[in-house]
Amino acid sequence: MRIEAVFFDIGETLINEGEIYGRWADWLGVPRHTFLTKLGAVLATGGTHPDLFEYFRPGFDLAAEEKRRREAGVPNGFAAGDLYPDARACLGDLRAQGLFVGVAGNQPAEAAEQFAALGLETDVLGISDVWDLHKPSPEFFARCAKEAGLAPERILYVGDRIDNDVRPALASGMQVAFLRRGPWGHIQRDDEALARCRFRLDDLARLPALVAAHNTP
C-alpha cells in the first residue's frame, strides 16, 4: 500500500526530551543522573512519567509547578535546541516527495506555539490538549486521518512508544515506523507488534529514502 502521508509523534521522535527532563531534575533539586535512572526504572515496571514526579515530590501538581517555573523565568517546554538533528531534513525531504506531513502527539496546549516557532515543514500540527484527544485513543488516530483526508492505510505513523504509538496506530489501520530512541523506545518490548511495523528505525535520517523505495513501483 502506497504511503501518501507521514505523521510524526513529538517527544523523543522530533524533540529530544533529555534536556527537558534534566531541567525538571534541576528544578526539583535532584541530581540529573539520579532522576533519569529513576525514570528508566519507572518505565521498566510499567509506570509513567507522572509516577516519576510523584516519587521525588509526593503530591506533585504539574500545573502548579509549571506556573512556578514560569514565574521563576525557567518555563517548561522545548525550543530549537531540543530538536533532534535529523528531524528538520527528514520532514523537508518527505514533503519534497509530495507527501502530506503531519505532526501529532500528546502535548500541552502551550506546545503548539513552541512547535510553530521551530519553522518545520509540516501540513498540520496536532496537539492533544488542543484537539482534546489523547493517544492511545482510536479517536486521536482517526483525527490524523481526517486531517490528511486519507484512508488510514495510506498513512505512516512514526513514533518511539509501543504503547502510545505502535499498537494504537496499527489498530487504526495505519502503517507504522517504530523509532528506537529515548527511554520508551529502548525499554518497552513487544516483538509481535514490532514485527508488524513497516519500518524499524534507529534515527530519522533513512526514513525518506525508505518511503521513496516503498512507493516506487
Side-chain angles (χ1 to χ4, degrees):
M1 182 66 68
R2 179 178 173 83
I3 295 169
E4 297 182 10
V6 183
F7 272 81
F8 292 84
D9 174 44
I10 298 175
E12 291 303 341
T13 298
L14 301 176
I15 298 295
N16 184 340
E17 294 181 326
E19 183 63 23
I20 295 172
Y21 277 109
R23 292 191 288 267
W24 270 115
D26 297 342
W27 178 255
L28 295 174
V30 179
R32 288 190 175 200
H33 69 278
T34 303
F35 195 76
L36 294 175
T37 297
K38 183 59 181 179
L39 172 61
V42 166
L43 298 183
T45 55
T48 62
H49 64 276
D51 299 319
L52 172 69
F53 292 116
E54 182 68 22
Y55 177 85
F56 288 110
R57 180 75 62 83
F60 182 84
D61 183 327
L62 179 60
E65 292 296 331
E66 287 186 325
K67 181 175 184 292
R68 293 190 185 100
R69 285 188 58 175
R70 286 193 299 271
E71 291 171 347
V74 285
N76 185 32
F78 56 82
D82 299 307
L83 187 68
Y84 271 109
D86 55 13
R88 188 177 301 276
C90 178
L91 271 61
D93 289 349
L94 290 169
R95 285 195 90 205
Q97 292 180 30
L99 302 176
F100 184 99
V101 174
V103 173
N106 283 354
Q107 294 285 331
E110 295 80 9
E113 182 177 351
Q114 295 167 9
F115 194 87
L118 300 177
L120 299 177
E121 294 187 55
T122 60
D123 294 293
V124 67
L125 173 62
I127 299 295
S128 59
D129 279 6
V130 175
W131 281 1
D132 196 24
L133 297 169
H134 298 76
K135 294 185 296 183
S137 72
E139 292 80 10
F140 182 94
F141 294 90
R143 176 66 181 268
C144 291
K146 181 180 179 180
E147 292 288 339
L150 293 168
E153 58 267 24
R154 300 283 185 181
I155 298 171
L156 178 73
Y157 192 87
V158 185
D160 66 296
R161 289 182 58 164
I162 292 174
D163 57 350
N164 268 11
D165 301 321
V166 174
R167 293 192 194 114
L170 288 171
S172 77
M174 292 181 181
Q175 302 179 60
V176 174
F178 169 66
L179 178 61
R180 190 182 66 168
R181 68 179 173 196
W184 282 266
H186 284 275
I187 291 173
Q188 292 184 329
R189 294 286 187 270
D190 186 338
D191 291 341
E192 187 277 333
L194 294 185
R196 296 168 57 203
C197 290
R198 175 67 65 192
F199 308 119
R200 294 167 68 172
L201 310 167
D202 291 318
D203 56 55
L204 294 177
R206 297 187 303 123
L207 183 60
L210 290 171
V211 171
H214 172 78
N215 284 344
T216 300

